[in-house]
Amino acid sequence: MPEMTFRVRWPDGKETDCYSPSLVIRDHFTPGQDYPVREFLEKADTALTDASERVRARYGFPCSRALGQLQAIRQASAPFLNQSDAQVRVLSFSY
């Protein structure tokens, strides 16, 4: 199963590499695109849950690393959820 990393820039300027066990991230995000924090969080939840389920379908168990990444994204998003203009930018994909 092909893995990928997607790099994001948070509203405070911090950049983070995020892991996905599947290329499904490409179906939900576009490099160079800004997303309101809540929208980014919803898309990340859908994409990483889908990626984990693809692992489950293939290997019989979910991807704990994808679910851990989702938890990290939730934590990183929390300080910005009440800022209506806060945006997360998806910078790049790497394979």
Side-chain angles (χ1 to χ4, degrees):
M1 188 163 260
E3 303 177 314
M4 70 176 296
T5 301
F6 57 108
R7 188 166 187 82
V8 301
R9 181 181 303 131
W10 297 99
D12 62 2
K14 181 180 176 184
E15 293 183 8
T16 306
D17 287 327
C18 302
Y19 169 81
S20 174
S22 166
L23 302 181
V24 72
I25 295 298
R26 298 181 306 183
D27 297 340
H28 298 274
F29 294 115
T30 302
Q33 180 72 42
D34 291 328
Y35 299 89
V37 173
R38 287 188 188 278
E39 180 183 351
F40 175 79
L41 188 55
E42 290 170 9
K43 286 177 169 286
D45 186 287
T46 299
L48 289 168
T49 299
D50 287 352
S52 180
E53 287 305 309
R54 287 180 181 202
V55 170
R56 181 193 307 270
R58 185 162 185 184
Y59 298 107
F61 52 86
C63 180
S64 61
R65 190 169 170 198
L67 298 176
Q69 181 63 72
L70 178 55
Q71 183 60 33
I73 288 171
R74 287 177 180 147
Q75 289 175 347
S77 297
F80 309 111
L81 288 174
N82 292 324
Q83 298 176 17
S84 62
D85 61 341
Q87 303 270 319
V88 178
R89 175 168 283 208
V90 175
L91 298 171
S92 62
F93 295 153
S94 56
Y95 306 94

